[in-house]
Amino acid sequence: MPPRRLINTSTYELYKNGDAEVKASPHYAILSHRWGKAEVTFQMLTKPQWRESNLGSEPMKKIREACKKAQDRETPIEWLWCDTCCIDKDNTEELTTSLNSMFEWYRKATVCYGYLTDVDWDPSHQQMSKSVDRPNQESVWFERGWTLQELLAPRYMEFFDRNWNFMGTRDGLSDKLQSVTGIAKKYLTGAATFKQASVATRIGWMAGRTTTEIEDIAYSMLGLLNISMPIYYGEGVKAFIRLQRTLIESSSDESLFAWTTPANGLTCYRRDNKIPVWAPNSWGLLAPSPDCFSRYRDLVVLPDLYVPRLSGSYKWVQRAIQFEMPMKSGTEVTNFFGQARKEVTLPLNCWRQHDDGKSWNVNLKLRRNGHVYSRIDCDDVVEKRGSKPSTNSVMGVDQVVTRPLTVAQPDEIDLELLPMQDNPTLIICRQQTPPH
């Protein structure tokens, strides 16, 4: 489905995607930018008198320049989409549809213009990412949650500095972009599709980014994770929990549970240079923030080692997640007397590949509390070299023997009740050497 509305790059008028003019030439450019204090809204652009009297205004400059770039192409593009003014945000149904469709809109655009408002391009030093407003820090464009999907979704992308000087294409700048974002070059150049990356890897790319609305941390990842869900502003951190529950319904990628307590706090939820501190020893299997995945963005799912669980994988059951726990000789969940073990290790179908070429299986520590378990030692996972979920040999054939294991999920956290720590500088949780 194409965007509902598009801006004519010659007249700056808004047209609907069903209009004859749009149908005659459906190709469009799309803008990726950071919102400023004054932006052109849908209500403004729909008024001819406002357009005429504000054409030279600062808020319109961004729209004018993006339209000019589209018009100046070898094959001019007649339409532009911009999130500030092409969505009627007062219409709840339209807003929900737009947020769930936005990734696909960026994907289908002829070109995406990445506009970095705080960068002066220096061709001699290739300084396309340093902010002129904040010495020795990257552009704020790299901090924002929404710009993650805007970086990965487009088929073709061009970058411009604050004066609209061309800095390069995403392919041409891929080494620098990899260094800044921690996203492996192969996903930036198209050598591999980001859908081949594990769930933990994709969520981990969001670590350290932030959004104006807390809920948008989750909503900005919908397309990246290939899911959709209703939009409820006001639900706070619950949005990210709900995102993970939606993934449970549609994905069997167990790297979703491979996360640890973030050393730098929940940086995605920082406000006014304050970061919530969250460090429980005992929790459930769903993380409160993408920051929890920053250490395990290199996890992979290996088909040769993957052991299917008889029930499929896992499921949500009454504020808990139920796994079919693989057992060997029946003693991994119960002892030799048939009594439930106090602590067990849950092996996940995901692995970390080390420099020696060996694959290490990721396991979680669980502790029993009555009939359910909780995850413990949340600041770490257990890695076992070359291991995989257990199987039993029946007449010479390996078979998985399982026992249901239920892990309770606590209620979502309340950010207002968490202690806060100062953080005057940006922390983007990037891995030092992304896998190629």
Side-chain angles (χ1 to χ4, degrees), residues 119 133 172 205 207:
V119 169
D133 300 327
W205 289 336

Side-chain angles (χ1 to χ4, degrees), residues 214-285:
I214 287 176
E215 297 84 356
D216 283 337
I217 288 294
Y219 302 157
S220 62
M221 287 191 286
L222 294 175
L224 195 65
L225 297 169
N226 196 31
I227 59 175
S228 60
M229 65 185 201
I231 306 301
Y232 303 126
Y233 282 108
E235 64 177 331
V237 180
K238 187 186 294 185
F240 186 64
I241 300 296
R242 194 159 56 88
L243 177 88
Q244 294 169 89
R245 288 186 58 179
T246 303
L247 273 170
I248 289 175
E249 299 171 0
S250 62
S251 172
S252 60
D253 188 333
E254 297 177 15
S255 71
L256 172 64
F257 310 111
W259 55 267
T260 57
T261 305
N264 296 313
L266 305 180
T267 59
C268 283
Y269 303 136
R270 63 186 178 272
R271 292 292 183 272
D272 301 322
N273 289 331
K274 299 283 187 179
I275 293 180
V277 179
W278 183 80
N281 181 63
S282 177
W283 195 251
L285 293 180

Side-chain angles (χ1 to χ4, degrees), residues 8 10 12 42 128 134 183 201 253 259 262 273-274 308 392:
N8 184 285
S10 297
Y12 312 118
F42 167 76
M128 67 82 62
R134 306 179 307 170
I183 300 173
T201 296
D253 188 333
W259 55 267
N273 289 331
K274 299 283 187 179
N392 284 299

